[in-house]
Amino acid sequence: MSIEFGWWNKDADNRKYQVIVNVHGGNIEWIRKQGHHAQWEPHVPDDEDRARLVYEADKRLPRRLITQKQFDEIKRLSENTGPGATTLGRKRAGPSSD
């Protein structure tokens, strides 16, 4: 299962930032970006973010974009604390420079 969810939030200074949640193979990764040219950084979700993830997943369930088993796994993973697995520093696969 590899599913991506995304939405926009506002911080305490009322500035918008984008939140992306990647769910893959029993792992969850929360990342955020504020501004077009900014880099993605780990995002520590709060209760509202976790509720939003379950809400977004619940919207996909009746349309059969995810299965009930996937939905249950997303609910379980959303309860974890912290940003989850981080893949920000990984190199992309491509031709080797050897």
Side-chain angles (χ1 to χ4, degrees), residues 30-84:
W30 297 79
I31 56 176
R32 68 182 276 175
K33 180 171 85 165
Q34 188 167 11
H36 184 68
H37 298 289
Q39 292 185 1
W40 290 100
E41 58 188 40
H43 175 67
V44 179
D46 58 12
D47 291 338
E48 289 179 15
D49 289 327
R50 290 184 185 93
R52 178 72 185 258
L53 174 61
V54 172
Y55 169 75
E56 294 292 334
D58 190 43
K59 288 192 326 189
R60 294 182 185 192
L61 192 59
R63 299 182 312 188
R64 297 184 182 184
L65 298 174
I66 62 173
T67 65
Q68 183 65 45
K69 184 177 176 181
Q70 290 171 323
F71 178 72
D72 294 339
E73 180 73 4
I74 290 167
K75 279 178 47 175
R76 185 186 68 76
L77 289 171
S78 71
E79 296 170 359
N80 295 345
T81 59

Side-chain angles (χ1 to χ4, degrees), residues 13-46:
D13 297 329
N14 210 23
R15 295 180 301 181
K16 288 174 63 174
Y17 62 92
Q18 185 177 7
V19 175
I20 298 288
V21 182
N22 291 307
V23 180
H24 179 72
N27 295 315
I28 190 166
E29 178 186 25
W30 297 79
I31 56 176
R32 68 182 276 175
K33 180 171 85 165
Q34 188 167 11
H36 184 68
H37 298 289
Q39 292 185 1
W40 290 100
E41 58 188 40
H43 175 67
V44 179
D46 58 12

